[in-house]
DNA sequence: TCTGGGGTCCTAGGACCC
DNA sequence: TCTGGGGTCCTAGGACCC
């Protein structure tokens, strides 16, 4: 049995944890740079505000309903996420954190201990709420895809209680019949449109299709989804937990950047972020993508990108930074109003199975990186940095409605006023 | 006044080679 | 008589997710 647990409108709910004055009010959270709406509390969803639309387009509606606006406070969300995951972790010996607000639990041999999954789900919900003041939904199913579907039912169906279980043919059919195909994990806009041509509207319609035929017509991915919907596990636990095959760090700028120091500082910062992610999952990269471009919404769109092959696979921040240094004079074009830049690591390898280099040309300093990670983990992620990152901060993002970082900064700790 | 997220994976198509 | 393969690598763009 699998469970999928996720927080309801996580960012918006996270904003409400320490700010009681907005607990009952409609709240939206904007993406980096206050660009788009990325989270909306249930009160806002009722107004029909679409997600991922630019904020400035929806401002009139939001103002009209007196909606609270917040910038992404990623430091706060990441910390609350850690706390939430720590609580969820108690409920199974197999736990995989799938995203900042979602995680899978797997239960092998729990049937003797758990008499009712439904009750168990509510126990999880209550415990997470008591410990973190975050509302979560819990879905159980025999495959990851069905657990996802149950989670959807737990939150969206009429009379939903926050927990739903698929543990019989009856419950499976009932939930899938009431679910649109577009709500299935892995079925997006395009596929929905194509499936409609086949008369496939509900999740159950899709589940009834012949997997082999659908593979021919569409893809292996859809074949797997169909099997999963029928309770046949295709995504093994290891698949779900698979290492990333590529890792990126990109950011658009708060204001257009024309200063080369600012552009370089941003790229080197992305190097550090990517390298850290690689070290965390135990990977090395053979190739690095380095890119920067102007706004695609403006005239004279300018984009350059470089693919750098590394002599020896690496996950060293300094080695990556050196690659930026190598291409920078070709990358930077004076007069271009840069809008966004980033770094990507592609062609990843396992760092445990590396061939030793005969000529020892590697510049990697694993001990230094380990030391850097340890210090940054203990004293905050920006304690120790590559000097180039600090040459300019003119590329930082815009965050006009940032809340306090209640749990990670002493000066911003919540205050309780006593009368 | 002007404003438009971030991450990962897959696929189609072209270049190039034998 | 008329016809013409298959593999690898690279890249851009798109699909999908949150």
């Amino acid at each position: 049995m699998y469970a999928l647990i996720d927080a309801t409108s996580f960012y918006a709910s996270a904003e409400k944890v320490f700010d009681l004055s907005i607990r009952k009010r409609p709240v939206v959270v904007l993406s980096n740079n206050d660009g788009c709406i990325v989270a909306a509390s249930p009160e806002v969803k009722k107004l029909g505000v679409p997600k991922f639309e630019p904020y400035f387009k929806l401002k009139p509606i939001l103002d009209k309903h007196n909606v609270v606006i917040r910038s992404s406070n990623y430091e706060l969300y990441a910390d609350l996420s850690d706390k939430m995951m720590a609580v969820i972790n108690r409920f199974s010996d197999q736990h995989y954190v799938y995203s900042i607000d979602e995680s899978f639990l797997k239960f092998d041999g729990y049937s003797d201990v758990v008499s009712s999954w439904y009750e168990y789900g509510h126990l999880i919900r209550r415990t997470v709420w008591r410990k973190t003041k975050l509302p979560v939904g819990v879905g159980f199913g025999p495959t990851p895809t069905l657990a996802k579907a149950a989670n959807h039912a737990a939150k969206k169906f009429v009379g939903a209680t926050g927990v739903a279980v698929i543990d019989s043919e009856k419950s499976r059919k009932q939930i899938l019949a009431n679910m649109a195909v577009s709500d299935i994990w892995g079925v997006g806009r395009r596929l929905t449109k194509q499936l409609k041509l086949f008369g496939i509207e509900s999740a159950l319609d899709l589940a009834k299709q012949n997997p082999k035929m659908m593979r021919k017509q569409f893809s292996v991915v859809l074949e797997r989804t169909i099997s999963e919907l029928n309770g046949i596990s295709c995504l093994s636990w290891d698949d779900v937990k698979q290492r990333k095959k590529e890792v990126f760090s990109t950011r658009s700028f708060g204001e257009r950047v024309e200063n080369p120091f600012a552009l370089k500082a941003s790229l080197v910062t992305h190097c550090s972020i990517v390298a850290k992610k690689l070290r965390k999952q135990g990977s090395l990269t053979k190739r690095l993508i380095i890119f920067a471009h102007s706004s695609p919404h403006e005239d004279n769109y300018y984009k350059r990108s470089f693919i750098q092959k590394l002599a020896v696979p690496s996950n060293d921040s300094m080695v990556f930074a050196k690659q930026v240094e190598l291409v920078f004079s070709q990358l930077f074009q004076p007069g271009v109003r840069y809008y966004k830049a980033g770094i990507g690591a592609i062609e990843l390898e396992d760092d445990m199975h590396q061939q030793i280099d005969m000529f020892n040309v590697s510049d990697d300093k694993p001990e230094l990186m380990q030391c850097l990670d340890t210090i940054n983990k203990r004293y905050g992620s920006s304690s120790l940095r590559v000097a180039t990152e600090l040459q300019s901060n003119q590329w930082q993002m815009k965050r006009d409605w940032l809340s306090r970082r209640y749990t990670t900064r002493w000066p911003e700790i919540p205050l309780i006023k006593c009368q």
Side-chain angles (χ1 to χ4, degrees):
Chain A
M1 185 60 101
Y2 291 89
L4 180 88
I5 302 160
D6 74 344
T8 316
S9 322
F10 178 59
Y11 290 1
S13 299
E15 290 292 340
K16 296 187 178 193
V17 170
F18 293 102
D19 189 346
L20 300 183
S21 70
I22 62 168
R23 274 266 170 101
K24 301 226 158 86
R25 291 185 59 194
V27 174
V28 297
V29 178
L30 306 180
S31 62
N32 283 337
N33 272 327
D34 297 335
C36 295
I37 293 171
V38 287
S41 68
E43 302 89 343
V44 184
K45 281 179 185 153
K46 276 185 209 141
L47 301 174
V49 172
K51 243 179 161 185
F52 306 113
E53 283 288 311
Y55 165 63
F56 71 91
K57 284 189 181 169
L58 292 164
K59 190 172 183 302
I61 311 175
L62 299 173
D63 285 351
K64 192 177 147 202
H65 291 93
N66 199 17
V67 174
V68 178
I69 312 292
R70 287 287 146 89
S71 302
S72 277
N73 188 343
Y74 193 76
E75 196 168 315
L76 174 68
Y77 310 150
D79 191 59
L80 291 180
S81 171
D82 288 347
K83 289 182 167 54
M84 180 175 88
M85 296 309 177
V87 175
I88 291 170
N89 196 44
R90 303 180 195 172
F91 290 88
S92 171
D93 55 331
Q94 298 180 83
H95 179 203
Y96 175 64
V97 177
Y98 174 72
S99 75
I100 192 160
D101 77 318
E102 262 181 282
S103 61
F104 284 101
L105 294 178
K106 187 172 188 250
F107 304 97
D108 289 325
Y110 277 63
S111 47
D112 295 341
V113 194
V114 178
S115 55
S116 155
W117 291 112
Y118 186 77
E119 295 291 325
Y120 199 59
H122 276 293
L123 180 63
I124 296 174
R125 249 171 78 79
R126 275 199 307 275
T127 312
V128 174
W129 175 258
R130 209 172 59 231
K131 296 288 179 189
T132 66
K133 291 291 175 278
L134 289 164
V136 294
V138 186
F140 291 94
T143 65
T145 308
L146 284 174
K148 264 265 195 189
N151 177 281
H152 176 83
K155 294 194 296 189
K156 298 285 163 67
F157 281 14
V158 186
T161 62
V163 178
V165 182
I166 294 180
D167 58 354
S168 64
E169 203 40 23
K170 193 179 154 218
S171 54
R172 185 181 75 90
K173 281 191 171 152
Q174 199 209 338
I175 285 178
L176 294 186
N178 288 296
M179 210 175 142
V181 261
S182 57
D183 289 326
I184 297 172
W185 195 26
V187 179
R189 263 213 325 261
R190 198 187 66 125
L191 214 45
T192 301
K193 218 165 128 190
Q194 292 177 343
L195 290 172
K196 204 160 249 178
L197 298 176
F198 285 71
I200 298 166
E201 306 260 353
S202 74
L204 190 59
D205 291 341
L206 182 63
K208 284 178 180 163
Q209 299 301 313
N210 180 330
K212 288 275 168 288
M213 298 273 286
M214 295 305 271
R215 177 186 187 144
K216 258 190 197 153
Q217 198 69 234
F218 296 95
S219 69
V220 211
V221 184
L222 193 63
E223 181 195 17
R224 260 186 243 142
T225 301
I226 293 170
S227 300
E228 284 257 318
L229 288 176
N230 287 295
I232 302 158
S233 246
C234 293
L235 294 167
S236 70
W237 187 237
D238 288 335
D239 286 333
V240 175
K241 294 174 58 167
Q242 221 175 38
R243 272 186 236 231
K244 307 258 183 287
K245 293 174 181 166
E246 53 184 54
V247 168
F248 276 76
S249 173
T250 72
R251 219 42 101 235
S252 50
F253 304 128
E255 286 167 20
R256 301 285 187 265
V257 164
E258 296 186 59
N259 173 350
F261 295 107
L263 183 61
K264 198 191 277 183
S266 81
L267 285 169
V268 174
T269 304
H270 293 307
C271 285
S272 294
I273 294 170
V274 167
K276 187 178 163 191
K277 284 189 193 173
L278 293 182
R279 293 195 292 272
K280 196 173 169 199
Q281 73 161 14
S283 296
L284 300 164
T285 184
K286 284 203 274 192
R287 284 195 292 176
L288 218 50
I289 295 176
I290 303 169
F291 77 88
H293 61 82
S294 63
S295 168
H297 304 291
E298 290 168 14
D299 292 341
N300 304 320
Y301 179 53
Y302 176 89
K303 175 170 186 175
R304 293 274 346 234
S305 73
F306 293 83
I307 296 181
Q308 293 295 103
K309 283 198 179 168
L310 303 179
V312 184
S314 167
N315 59 16
D316 187 300
S317 308
M318 308 287 276
V319 170
F320 289 5
K322 208 168 278 177
Q323 293 298 321
V324 169
E325 204 66 55
L326 272 175
V327 302
F328 193 77
S329 63
Q330 287 168 270
L331 179 77
F332 177 74
Q333 189 75 33
V336 173
R337 300 176 70 239
Y338 287 97
Y339 162 78
K340 185 175 187 172
I343 299 287
I346 52 175
E347 254 188 81
L348 305 190
E349 293 185 345
D350 191 332
D351 68 358
M352 294 302 281
H353 300 98
Q354 278 304 299
Q355 208 149 45
I356 293 170
D357 176 44
M358 189 160 80
F359 301 104
N360 194 24
V361 292
S362 170
D363 291 325
D364 278 24
K365 298 189 174 57
E367 297 83 3
L368 179 63
M369 289 300 119
Q370 203 185 353
C371 172
L372 182 140
D373 287 338
T374 308
I375 289 174
N376 283 345
K377 191 167 181 197
R378 178 149 180 195
Y379 298 103
S381 57
S382 53
S383 303
L384 213 51
R385 306 178 63 184
V386 179
T388 318
E389 294 179 36
L390 305 174
Q391 280 193 330
S392 165
N393 61 6
Q394 284 174 36
W395 59 278
Q396 296 297 343
M397 55 196 163
K398 197 172 89 176
R399 293 193 290 185
D400 288 346
W401 297 280
L402 192 60
S403 50
R404 299 157 76 104
R405 291 161 294 189
Y406 301 99
T407 57
T408 50
R409 307 271 170 151
W410 283 114
E412 300 180 30
I413 200 165
L415 299 175
I416 299 168
K417 283 182 195 143
C418 297
Q419 299 278 327

